[in-house]
Amino acid sequence: MATKSSAAGAPASFEQAMAELEQLVEQMEAGELTLEASVAAYKRGSELVKFCAAQLDRVEAQVKVLESDMLKPFAVDGAGDSE
């Protein structure tokens, strides 16, 4: 039982992958799938989890680059010592 036409390929986005994964989990938890379909759903779910993890790793790397370029510790200047 295929959940979407994209079931054979990579999802278009993180959000699409999460939506498909949620749908698979709901079907599996509801007992709607045969044993063979459950195994296929588990395999697809594993692929989706790997895709999402890779997307999160990629975004985390981008955030680290942005932080290193933009976020610097504030220098403590003697603003309170001028009195």
Side-chain angles (χ1 to χ4, degrees), residues 55-76:
Q55 294 288 76
L56 290 174
D57 288 343
R58 184 179 57 80
V59 170
E60 182 179 17
Q62 289 176 344
V63 169
K64 285 181 181 180
V65 168
L66 291 173
E67 285 178 344
S68 68
D69 288 344
M70 296 173 61
L71 299 179
K72 308 227 183 292
F74 288 111
V76 178

Side-chain angles (χ1 to χ4, degrees), residues 22-82:
E22 288 174 11
Q23 186 179 26
L24 285 172
V25 169
E26 287 175 7
Q27 289 176 344
M28 291 176 78
E29 287 179 344
E32 297 176 3
L33 305 175
T34 64
L35 179 60
E36 186 175 293
S38 292
V39 171
Y42 183 86
K43 181 180 176 189
R44 178 62 178 165
S46 294
E47 293 168 357
L48 292 169
V49 167
K50 288 178 187 176
F51 174 84
C52 289
Q55 294 288 76
L56 290 174
D57 288 343
R58 184 179 57 80
V59 170
E60 182 179 17
Q62 289 176 344
V63 169
K64 285 181 181 180
V65 168
L66 291 173
E67 285 178 344
S68 68
D69 288 344
M70 296 173 61
L71 299 179
K72 308 227 183 292
F74 288 111
V76 178
D77 58 18
D81 298 333
S82 62

